[in-house]
Amino acid sequence: VIDDVVVIAYGTKKRRDMIGSVSKIKSDEMSLMQGGRFENSLQGLASGVQVVNDGMPGSTPQIKIRGIGSIASGSDPLWVVDGIVGGGSTMVNSNDIESIEVLKDAAATAIYGSRGANGVIIVTTKEGKEGRAQITYNGHVKFAQVSKILPSLTATDYATLMNEAQRENGLNPLFNIDEIPYLGRGVDWQRQIFRNAFSQVHNLGISGASKNLSYYIAGGVNRNEGVIINSAFNEYNLRANMKVDALKNLTISLNTFASYSTSGKGDTEGALTSALKWSPTKAVRDALGNYSQPGGGIGPVSDFNPVGLAREIVVDQNRAVFNIALQGEYRFTDWIKFSSMLAYRSNSIMSGWFDNQVYNLGPEEDVAGSKTQSSYLALQSTSILTFDKYFGLHHVGATGVYEYIADKYD
């Protein structure tokens, strides 16, 4: 619709006045994508956007806008959430989004300079609407499973083929010929590490507005199991957006967001590789209750037990995100206004790894683990002076911006 208002960098324009390529996605359009991450809706609803997800619970999809625009500086687009520059999709809960604008070409992203070389994604979150307070709930549950299990040999077929290979090489058979018919299906290692995963998302919010005050407060819980055993992602988030008309021409707004997430998995890559190699004639555990070991002339000699790799190796990550932005807007006239925003953004990550040597019956002295912590802090100050006036059939618009960002990474 040519009269749609589109957010572009430090202001808004009607779509008919745009000269750059911009896609706009509204919240009601994203609601049709229930059960998946909101980033995936960008690919379906915004042209020229490619979204790649590795499928692990809690993983952040990689977004490419019109291909790769930089060789050495990465290919991720620049995120802007309620005017806060930087960060990414971890700065927002999909249930809180009012609209998303995707700036795709040089004309649309020019004001961001080199930061916008890979495109810009601008997210606007919800505000309270005038009227009585509204309490909303949005939630869903889902079940996930691997769409296809690769065909594999039964224990009987595997033993028969192994004996034939031994015979062709002039070696003794590995399996008793009389026992082969009774081996049956054996162990399907893919089914041992895959599971039917259950996930649930719950969002609860309250919003409203009076003549001088609007508010939107919402919290969300996301509990997501992975289809590989011992993999999961949990997230808890809270948002509060408030706006008050302090004076006749002065509006003050405060937007805050906080989230805490945990993710964990085993050696999923190693487990997948081993599951395709291990012999169906081997049990998950031996007579002593230990994980079956590789070798013995049957199966791979260096890939360890798939179930042991998935359950005993620990790879986890805890992430804490906090954003707060205080903004004031003063309208000198209907066509001149000045706004100033001060924002603070933090992102702290604690990652851990632990190998207990249980899966390979290793010695205690080989037990190993590590913990690493990283944090990112950013302070942003943005001041915008806007001139927007019609002279009869003519329209004149100008925007002046001063922005300062100081950040620190440890």
Side-chain angles (χ1 to χ4, degrees):
V1 181
I2 62 174
D3 285 328
D4 272 354
V5 175
V6 179
V7 178
I8 49 151
Y10 300 96
T12 60
K13 277 188 177 182
K14 289 186 177 181
R15 188 178 295 277
R16 63 184 176 187
D17 297 328
M18 290 291 300
I19 60 173
S21 179
V22 178
S23 293
K24 180 173 183 176
I25 305 170
K26 299 179 181 179
S27 59
D28 55 350
E29 295 176 299
M30 287 186 294
S31 66
L32 301 176
M33 304 290 292
Q34 287 285 3
R37 292 186 63 102
F38 78 90
E39 297 96 322
N40 295 328
S41 66
L42 298 178
Q43 180 165 273
L45 299 174
S47 61
V49 178
Q50 179 185 10
V51 181
V52 180
N53 197 330
D54 65 7
M56 290 303 298
S59 63
T60 302
Q62 292 185 338
I63 300 175
K64 304 290 185 294
I65 299 176
R66 292 189 172 181
I68 298 175
S70 174
I71 297 177
S73 300
S75 56
D76 296 329
L78 176 69
W79 286 77
V80 182
V81 180
D82 288 336
I84 302 178
V85 179
S89 58
T90 58
M91 293 172 55
V92 63
N93 178 351
S94 60
N95 194 64
D96 300 333
I97 296 176
E98 181 65 30
S99 67
I100 297 177
E101 277 81 11
V102 182
L103 314 186
K104 293 178 283 189
D105 65 0
T109 63
I111 194 170
Y112 289 105
S114 60
R115 296 179 299 172
N118 296 310
V120 182
I121 298 175
I122 300 177
V123 178
T124 303
T125 59
K126 295 177 179 178
E127 297 179 348
K129 294 180 172 59
E130 190 167 350
R132 298 176 59 184
Q134 294 184 342
I135 298 177
T136 59
Y137 168 77
N138 174 279
H140 63 266
V141 297
K142 68 176 181 179
F143 297 89
Q145 61 180 182
V146 176
S147 60
K148 181 180 180 181
I149 299 292
L150 296 179
S152 59
L153 293 173
T154 65
T156 297
D157 292 337
Y158 181 88
T160 300
L161 290 174
M162 288 296 294
N163 277 358
E164 289 181 3
Q166 291 290 102
R167 185 170 57 253
E168 290 293 328
N169 291 308
L171 302 174
N172 294 326
L174 294 173
F175 297 92
N176 188 312
I177 298 177
D178 295 330
E179 296 178 355
I180 289 179
Y182 302 100
L183 293 177
R185 179 69 184 86
V187 176
D188 187 332
W189 290 102
Q190 293 177 80
R191 298 186 187 278
Q192 289 293 323
I193 65 171
F194 292 138
R195 65 179 176 183
N196 294 327
F198 173 75
S199 301
Q200 53 184 319
V201 176
H202 304 281
N203 295 289
L204 182 65
I206 181 171
S207 63
S210 61
K211 182 178 180 181
N212 298 318
L213 173 68
S214 69
Y215 58 90
Y216 174 86
I217 302 172
V221 176
N222 180 4
R223 301 179 67 86
N224 190 354
E225 290 183 345
V227 293
I228 298 180
I229 57 176
N230 197 33
S231 63
F233 172 78
N234 299 312
E235 181 183 25
Y236 313 90
N237 58 73
L238 178 67
R239 173 172 291 279
N241 293 348
M242 305 189 73
K243 180 183 288 186
V244 59
D245 292 331
L247 299 173
K248 181 180 179 181
N249 295 329
L250 177 63
T251 300
I252 297 176
S253 60
L254 178 67
N255 291 1
T256 60
F257 175 77
S259 74
Y260 180 76
S261 63
T262 62
S263 62
K265 64 176 184 176
D267 182 0
T268 54
E269 293 82 3
L272 286 169
T273 300
S274 293
L276 299 176
K277 296 180 179 180
W278 263 57
S279 167
T281 62
K282 286 193 173 185
V284 177
R285 293 180 182 268
D286 60 24
L288 299 177
N290 299 316
Y291 288 108
S292 298
Q293 298 299 301
I298 303 172
V301 296
S302 59
D303 294 281
F304 288 99
N305 190 302
V307 176
L309 290 172
R311 289 196 178 278
E312 302 301 333
I313 299 292
V314 177
V315 181
D316 58 17
Q317 183 182 95
N318 300 335
R319 181 195 295 265
V321 176
F322 178 72
N323 305 316
I324 183 170
L326 177 65
Q327 180 172 341
E329 180 180 283
Y330 188 82
R331 295 173 296 281
F332 296 97
T333 67
D334 292 338
W335 40 276
I336 297 180
K337 66 180 180 180
F338 174 79
S339 65
S340 182
M341 182 186 72
L342 182 64
Y344 171 81
R345 177 165 63 92
S346 68
N347 188 346
S348 179
I349 299 175
M350 175 74 77
S351 301
W353 168 80
F354 183 67
D355 180 357
N356 60 15
Q357 293 290 299
V358 171
Y359 67 94
N360 64 341
L361 302 181
E364 291 185 1
E365 55 266 26
D366 287 345
V367 173
S370 66
K371 279 285 186 181
T372 58
Q373 182 173 6
S374 62
S375 63
Y376 177 83
L377 306 175
L379 186 65
Q380 174 183 336
S381 174
T382 303
S383 298
I384 305 173
L385 181 63
T386 303
F387 178 94
D388 188 33
K389 185 173 176 60
Y390 281 88
F391 298 92
L393 298 177
H394 304 284
H395 174 249
V396 178
T399 301
V401 179
Y402 175 80
E403 186 170 78
Y404 174 80
I405 298 177
D407 57 3
K408 179 182 178 182
Y409 182 83
D410 291 324

